Structure formats: C-alpha cells, structure tokens
C-alpha cells in the first residue's frame, strides 16, 4: 500500500532523502515505519521511535509516542515527520 511521507527539515544533516510516496506492507504501524528510518531508530532500547527526536503527524493529527505501536497505517495516509533539532 502507498502512503505519502513528508520529512520536514530535509536540509538537516543526517536526515534521509525520502521519496514523497512510499510503499509499506499492509498492517504496518507508525512505529514499524519509523524504525525503518535510520535517524529515528532507537539504539538504546529504552526509547520508542519518535520520542525525544521527532514529532509525528498522521493525516494532520499529532500521534503521541505511546500510540505509535497501536496506530495502523492505511493506504493513502499522510505521514509527516518533524525532527527536533537542538544545538546552538
């Protein structure tokens, strides 16, 4: 199935250059989708995808990190990933 992906901040170093349309397997969750994006993978095992490093919107609505595993993607969904950038 196809979803539309917008990665806000494409000029941020280390973020992938994603295609606007992506194919994902049926019954994919937001968590599994984020885990496939290298900059958003959890390396410590204690962080969920999206917690502390990105805000995720599905069809224009914020999805809390605690709901990523339970949120099933559907054909035609729009996913927006807004990485949090810190530094000075």
């Amino acid at each position: 199935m196809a979803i539309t992906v917008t990665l806000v901040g494409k000029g941020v170093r280390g973020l992938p250059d994603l295609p606007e349309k992506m194919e994902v397997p049926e019954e994919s969750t937001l968590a599994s989708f984020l885990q496939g994006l290298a900059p958003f993978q959890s390396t410590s095992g204690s962080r969920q995808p999206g917690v502390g490093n990105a805000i995720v919107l599905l069809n224009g609505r914020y999805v809390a990190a605690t709901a990523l595993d339970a949120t099933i993607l559907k054909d035609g969904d729009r996913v927006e990933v807004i990485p949090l950038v810190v530094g000075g």
Side-chain angles (χ1 to χ4, degrees), residues 1 52 59 61 65 79 86:
M1 78 180 154
N59 299 320
R61 294 183 181 212
V79 177
V86 297

Side-chain angles (χ1 to χ4, degrees), residues 3-85:
I3 62 172
T4 301
V5 180
T6 302
L7 181 58
V8 178
K10 286 187 179 184
V12 177
R13 189 180 73 175
L15 294 181
D17 190 19
L18 298 176
E20 184 175 319
K21 297 277 187 185
M22 294 183 74
E23 290 290 325
V24 295
E26 296 288 330
E27 301 296 316
S28 292
T29 65
L30 267 175
S32 65
F33 172 72
L34 288 175
Q35 288 170 345
L37 302 178
F40 305 107
Q41 290 177 353
S42 173
T43 55
S44 67
S46 63
R47 292 174 56 192
Q48 297 179 34
V51 174
N53 56 2
I55 294 170
V56 181
L57 304 177
L58 178 62
N59 299 320
R61 294 183 181 212
Y62 170 73
V63 179
T66 55
L68 294 174
D69 282 324
T71 303
I72 306 293
L73 294 171
K74 299 179 195 85
D75 190 47
D77 275 348
R78 292 181 340 268
V79 177
E80 296 173 72
V81 181
I82 306 168
L84 300 179
V85 180

